[in-house]
Amino acid sequence: MAFLQEKLPCFCVLILCMAVLVSSHNRYYTIPSVPRLTDAFPRVPISNGFSKAFGGSNIQVINGSMATLALDKSSGSGLVSVNKYHYGFFSAAIKLPAGLTSGVVVAFYLSNADVFPHNHDEIDIELLGHDKRNDWVIQTNVYANGSVNTGREEKFYLWFDPTQQQHQYSIIWNNHHIVFLVDNIPVREFQHGGSFFPSKPMSVYATIWDASQWATHGGKYPVNYKYAPFRVSFAEMEMSGCISNPTGTVTSCSKNTHSSLDPIEGPEFVKLSNQQSSALGWARSKLMFYSYCKDTSRFKVMPPECK
């Protein structure tokens, strides 16, 4: 608690002073003030914390701390964490490819499909490429116990150009809720209120791949490899939580001496603060343009968490 008393108020003061107007889709936004949770956890060197999952020839690790992943006509590419985690705080600073990127998906997510192929869990941050008229958008999604036919997608516009510099994309996952954050601003909270909730240990993935079938306007605009290779950079990786073996038995928790910094049960992580709740409302009212909770063509009966 002492760390937060010393640090988090400083974060808030700094951000209050730095609130600025920014432009996105010809609109201007005043960015809400929020604590910088990403400053509270250590960064994991990519060379130590990750291995190559696929497309190894398209992966370049730079100084151990940053990785460039590419998609070309031969393959996409991806990294997977060395450890599996059962709850925690996960974050990456990502710079997206510029130019025409229709059909391209950059993803930072957790999954256990390798261990539980028929009833896997998944927590997704997917950044969807754009055609000539639209910018990158972020899609968040949650799967639990193999519910791949009933995804809980929500989509948002970003309030910045994600191709100019790195921005932080983060996930809080514990027994209380899942929170998706962009530059520390919560854009979505998924409460643990029933049986539909990821509950098994998962690996952390960072990938770029061809999703021409669905990514841009439902597949209307596929990847145009004339503009390849598409390169994305990942850096400032954070993975703080309980390390677990594949059977689901927790074997090690990265406990911090200051209990407030525990992303599993720390008071800063089990519930959004008033400041964070206000920022969440801002993101959802200004930037969200699709929610499964309003898609009556997919759900004749709305999932219970939508009510």
Side-chain angles (χ1 to χ4, degrees):
M1 189 66 179
F3 179 92
L4 285 179
Q5 288 173 343
E6 294 173 8
K7 296 290 185 180
L8 286 184
C10 296
F11 299 160
C12 297
V13 170
L14 286 173
I15 296 171
L16 279 168
C17 295
M18 297 187 334
V20 294
L21 289 173
V22 295
S23 175
S24 176
H25 297 273
N26 298 318
R27 288 173 286 184
Y28 289 86
Y29 301 110
T30 301
I31 307 307
S33 303
V34 290
R36 287 187 54 85
L37 298 181
T38 50
D39 288 347
F41 295 101
R43 292 168 183 169
V44 179
I46 289 175
S47 55
N48 295 342
F50 289 84
S51 61
K52 295 178 180 179
F54 64 97
S57 62
N58 281 347
I59 298 173
Q60 182 182 11
V61 179
I62 304 167
N63 296 325
S65 61
M66 185 174 79
T68 299
L69 279 57
L71 166 66
D72 58 26
K73 205 163 187 177
S74 66
S75 175
S77 52
L79 300 168
V80 59
S81 62
V82 172
N83 295 315
K84 295 182 185 295
Y85 295 86
H86 191 237
Y87 300 151
F89 180 84
F90 311 93
S91 187
I94 304 172
K95 181 181 178 184
L96 297 175
L100 182 64
T101 53
S102 59
V104 177
V105 170
V106 172
F108 179 67
Y109 67 103
L110 293 90
S111 176
N112 51 32
D114 57 331
V115 179
F116 304 100
H118 302 297
N119 62 332
H120 86 281
D121 303 312
E122 198 166 309
I123 302 172
D124 296 335
I125 289 178
E126 295 173 316
L127 296 148
L128 312 183
H130 62 89
D131 60 18
K132 293 180 180 178
R133 294 179 300 280
N134 294 301
D135 296 333
W136 285 85
V137 299
I138 179 173
Q139 173 173 281
T140 63
N141 204 353
V142 178
Y143 296 114
N145 298 315
S147 57
V148 293
N149 294 322
T150 55
R152 266 64 171 173
E153 300 95 342
E154 290 190 339
K155 297 181 183 181
F156 303 79
Y157 295 117
L158 297 168
W159 56 93
F160 50 80
D161 182 346
T163 70
Q164 293 298 305
Q165 62 186 34
Q166 292 175 335
H167 290 267
Q168 292 166 315
Y169 303 84
S170 312
I171 296 168
I172 297 171
W173 170 45
N174 55 42
N175 191 49
H176 303 276
H177 58 182
I178 297 165
V179 183
F180 300 88
L181 308 99
V182 179
D183 284 346
N184 290 285
I185 294 176
V187 298
R188 179 180 182 184
E189 181 183 29
F190 190 91
Q191 295 278 0
H192 187 179
S195 59
F196 189 93
F197 196 83
S199 59
K200 300 183 291 294
M202 292 190 276
S203 300
V204 182
Y205 291 85
T207 64
I208 183 170
W209 50 290
D210 183 333
S212 292
Q213 297 87 348
W214 62 270
T216 307
H217 298 292
K220 183 177 180 180
Y221 299 99
V223 174
N224 187 337
Y225 284 100
K226 182 176 93 171
Y227 300 97
F230 305 96
R231 291 189 174 91
V232 57
S233 68
F234 286 86
E236 300 178 12
M237 309 298 273
E238 299 179 21
M239 298 182 291
S240 293
C242 287
I243 297 173
S244 176
N245 67 26
T247 63
T249 303
V250 174
T251 58
S252 172
C253 270
S254 57
K255 295 290 187 181
N256 192 289
T257 54
H258 306 288
S259 61
S260 296
L261 290 182
D262 174 13
I264 314 303
E265 290 295 341
E268 301 295 329
F269 297 90
V270 302
K271 182 180 179 181
L272 296 180
S273 67
N274 290 339
Q275 194 177 37
Q276 290 171 320
S277 295
S278 176
L280 175 68
W282 171 84
R284 298 183 70 78
S285 64
K286 301 291 187 181
L287 301 165
M288 186 174 72
F289 65 93
Y290 173 83
S291 173
Y292 71 100
C293 284
K294 298 181 179 180
D295 193 340
T296 56
S297 64
R298 287 182 58 204
F299 294 92
K300 302 303 180 185
V301 178
M302 282 294 107
E305 69 270 13
C306 294
K307 297 176 182 177

